[in-house]
Amino acid sequence: MVAEKIKLRRTMMYVSGSSPANIAQATIYGADSLMFDLEDSVSVNEKDAARFVIYHALKTIDFGDTETVVRINAINTETGHQDLEAIVRAKPDVIRLPKTSCAQDVWDAEAMIAKIERNIGFKEGTIKLMAALEDPSGILNAREIAKSSKRLIGMAIGAEDFVTSMKTTRSPLGVELATARGLLLMACREVGIYALDTVYSDINNDEGFLEEVKLIKQLGFDGKSCIHPRQIKPIHQVFTPTIKEIDYAIRTFGAIQEAEEKHSGVIALNGKMIDLPMVERARRVIRLADAAGILDGGAYGC
């Protein structure tokens, strides 16, 4: 049986709700997900106008296969409630909850969204959720947040607020985020949801940006939030399997097939034993390549 196709979330690009022109042309850059922002990038005096702009953009613009995400204001604020009342009706794929500190934050948002869905005739559960963890409470409660709702498709770390709350600043090596990234990742992996890394704010530091992308890929993240279109291509290059990785994965499956034909319980490739974790990694490479349009994963049962 062929597995369900992987949903790529290598990039989630911020687009401010205060910029109608940027929203209108956002799909041309090729991000996997577009995140229309009602929170930090929008001034208090522009909140109503930005909400109106995003609502009408979602209702009138064809974003194709690009995932649409809206970051609302904090769920414990009146502005956050107003955001939900408007945005759920516009039917984005996902609503991102900022500053999520505990499971109750998700439950509160879920209850409000469910009520709106019922009122307007949407199937309950239509709108998915994503939680951004931005302080020590959120990180320490990552496991309970990850398990809090079936609507939750992933969690992200918000580094700027987090390091501020930890009385430090961001550094090139990111050591100040090591524990938080690890805890968030393990919580996501435990329940099988996506893990998204934080933005890299210095858009002119290409070398530093690429190093951070490689780091978070190695840690196990599924992708990264970004703030500028020029950051999309490097992230996709790092998170898309290379020809060498795909070739090795294909040869791994070839070795399995050969062993089955010989009724051999021993599977080897290039003189090295192949065990189940290696097979699982090869399967993921093929599924990612399939999702990226590089390979037909169905040919390998993936």
Side-chain angles (χ1 to χ4, degrees):
M1 184 176 70
V2 177
E4 183 180 353
K5 197 163 188 166
I6 285 182
K7 171 68 178 172
L8 292 177
R9 292 191 175 95
R10 299 166 298 182
T11 45
M12 188 169 285
M13 187 174 77
Y14 279 90
V15 185
S16 175
S18 62
S19 178
N22 287 346
I23 292 174
Q25 65 182 7
T27 56
I28 66 175
Y29 302 111
D32 292 329
S33 306
L34 294 171
M35 183 164 60
F36 305 120
D37 187 32
L38 286 168
E39 201 209 12
D40 289 348
S41 71
V42 179
S43 68
V44 173
N45 293 334
E46 293 181 315
K47 297 287 188 188
D48 291 343
R51 192 181 303 120
F52 180 82
V53 166
I54 292 176
Y55 172 87
H56 281 277
L58 289 168
K59 297 288 282 186
T60 59
I61 297 175
D62 181 4
F63 292 100
D65 294 332
T66 306
E67 184 175 59
T68 54
V69 183
V70 178
R71 182 171 75 164
I72 64 169
N73 288 278
I75 193 63
N76 60 351
T77 67
E78 181 60 28
T79 309
H81 292 189
Q82 292 170 348
D83 292 342
L84 279 184
E85 284 290 343
I87 297 304
V88 170
R89 288 170 165 76
K91 206 176 182 180
D93 295 311
V94 180
I95 287 178
R96 176 155 155 164
L97 306 174
K99 300 177 176 57
T100 308
S101 295
C102 60
Q104 188 64 51
D105 292 338
V106 178
W107 294 332
D108 290 344
E110 185 173 42
M112 291 186 63
I113 292 171
K115 181 179 179 181
I116 298 168
E117 286 175 335
R118 289 193 296 271
N119 288 342
I120 60 179
F122 285 1
K123 180 181 177 183
E124 194 165 318
T126 296
I127 309 296
K128 303 304 180 187
L129 287 172
M130 184 172 187
L133 314 188
E134 306 180 50
D135 63 13
S137 294
I139 294 299
L140 291 172
N141 291 325
R143 287 189 74 185
E144 72 166 37
I145 294 170
K147 298 175 182 177
S148 63
S149 171
K150 290 183 179 179
R151 292 180 189 256
L152 206 66
I153 56 96
M155 299 197 299
I157 180 170
E160 299 301 335
D161 284 314
F162 178 77
V163 298
T164 301
S165 66
M166 294 296 290
K167 300 182 180 179
T168 183
T169 57
R170 296 188 68 178
S171 67
L173 294 177
V175 292
E176 66 284 347
L177 295 175
T179 301
R181 279 172 166 155
L183 290 173
L184 182 142
L185 259 170
M186 286 189 281
C188 289
R189 292 294 170 256
E190 184 180 26
V191 298
I193 61 176
Y194 284 70
L196 272 291
D197 192 49
T198 188
V199 299
Y200 189 86
S201 301
D202 186 356
I203 62 172
N204 293 317
N205 185 354
D206 293 338
E207 183 178 351
F209 172 68
L210 188 58
E211 286 302 311
E212 181 161 287
V213 175
K214 290 178 179 177
L215 170 67
I216 60 111
K217 164 68 164 48
Q218 184 61 30
L219 288 173
F221 279 88
D222 296 292
K224 189 170 180 62
S225 303
C226 58
I227 56 173
H228 195 280
R230 66 186 285 185
Q231 296 180 325
I232 294 172
K233 185 176 179 180
I235 298 174
H236 284 190
Q237 287 177 334
V238 170
F239 276 90
T240 301
T242 64
I243 297 299
K244 183 178 179 181
E245 291 169 332
I246 294 170
D247 178 66
Y248 185 80
I250 290 173
R251 286 190 290 124
T252 298
F253 276 85
I256 295 170
Q257 187 175 17
E258 183 179 345
E260 288 175 347
E261 290 172 354
K262 294 180 178 177
H263 304 289
S264 172
V266 179
I267 307 172
L269 178 63
N270 297 334
K272 296 181 179 178
M273 295 287 291
I274 296 176
D275 54 18
L276 285 177
M278 294 173 68
V279 173
E280 184 57 35
R281 289 197 293 271
R283 182 176 289 112
R284 178 166 172 77
V285 166
I286 289 177
R287 293 186 68 199
L288 286 171
D290 178 76
I294 300 172
L295 183 75
D296 177 12
Y300 304 93
C302 297

